[in-house]
Amino acid sequence: MEEAGIEILHIDIMDGHFVPNLTFGPGMVEYIRRCTELKLDVHLMMTNPQEFIDEFCDAGADYITIHQEACVHLNRIINSIKKRSVKAGVALNPATPPSTLQYVLDDVDMVLVMSVNPGFGGQKFIDRMQLKVAELNRLRKNGYSYKIEVDGGINFDNVKELKDAGADIIVAGTSVFKGNIAENCKRFEELIK
Ligand code: ZN
């Protein structure tokens, strides 16, 4: 099922603590679930995601992504997501290297490369993050099957390079919602096909 040419709806949950901004919680995800058949990719930018895994699973998330930096017991929380038959992603802030995930790469369905410092839309893409995507793509060839997602500052000028570096899932906010959404999605689609 696709709507406006997109396959996944990425939902940013911010807690005003892990990131300096607030958005919404499981109630909104549950509401969105009733409005669309798109896959829901819930990105938890929060300090204590372990407290909310069941609530976001119950709300209808297809993917739950937690931050490496926010999880002392990363392996445990990945397992708790997968136990609910929801796909588990781990996000890396710009300063966090892929090597921090060495011992969980077998277990994760997705690695999310933050290409801005999380908290606000409309920020400029940090160019070096393309190298991180390429590194994760190289690592993946050692028999892993995780998808690589990139989030932050993606636009019509940098999307093709990210795809070529190995990105499977592109998250775009400002460049999709500024102007005509369907036309913007189509333009993205053409750039990466
Ligand atoms: Zn996000």
Side-chain angles (χ1 to χ4, degrees):
M1 176 80 186
E2 292 187 18
E3 293 173 30
I6 64 166
E7 294 168 37
I8 302 174
L9 194 61
H10 183 88
I11 303 171
D12 283 329
I13 309 293
M14 305 188 187
D15 69 348
H17 189 268
F18 181 69
V19 289
N21 202 354
L22 277 171
T23 54
F24 33 73
M28 180 62 93
V29 174
E30 200 183 332
Y31 178 76
I32 296 169
R33 178 71 292 160
R34 282 190 258 132
C35 302
T36 178
E37 287 179 37
L38 290 172
K39 285 200 183 329
L40 300 185
D41 172 21
V42 178
H43 177 191
L44 300 183
M45 291 180 255
M46 57 196 297
T47 305
N48 52 344
Q50 67 279 359
E51 308 294 332
F52 291 90
I53 295 306
D54 279 332
E55 282 183 79
F56 283 106
C57 289
D58 292 341
D62 295 288
Y63 290 86
I64 292 183
T65 297
I66 53 194
H67 266 263
Q68 187 275 344
E69 304 84 3
C71 299
V72 178
H73 304 291
L74 188 57
N75 180 271
R76 175 186 289 160
I77 188 164
I78 290 167
N79 291 338
S80 71
I81 297 169
K82 297 189 68 154
K83 215 157 71 189
R84 295 290 314 262
S85 305
V86 171
K87 291 197 186 305
V90 180
L92 298 174
N93 276 338
T96 310
S99 58
T100 56
L101 301 183
Q102 184 180 352
Y103 293 99
V104 295
L105 281 180
D106 245 337
D107 304 318
V108 295
D109 298 296
M110 181 162 76
V111 178
L112 168 55
V113 175
M114 283 306 306
S115 40
V116 299
N117 288 294
F120 299 94
Q123 299 186 73
K124 192 182 171 305
F125 184 87
I126 300 169
D127 288 329
R128 260 168 304 181
M129 294 305 109
Q130 199 188 316
L131 300 176
K132 199 188 282 190
V133 172
E135 188 181 342
L136 281 160
N137 193 35
R138 269 196 307 277
L139 279 171
R140 179 158 63 172
K141 291 179 179 136
N142 299 324
Y144 300 115
S145 56
Y146 55 82
K147 295 219 179 306
I148 302 171
E149 180 176 38
V150 192
D151 185 4
I154 298 173
N155 56 43
F156 302 123
D157 298 325
N158 58 21
V159 69
K160 174 82 169 67
E161 284 165 52
L162 286 167
K163 165 95 191 309
D164 292 346
D168 307 292
I169 302 171
I170 298 290
V171 179
T174 307
S175 2
V176 164
F177 290 102
K178 213 166 113 188
N180 184 309
I181 295 173
E183 271 172 29
N184 289 337
C185 289
K186 207 158 174 226
R187 198 167 155 200
F188 267 119
E189 220 179 8
E190 271 160 21
L191 284 165
I192 58 176
K193 74 180 174 200

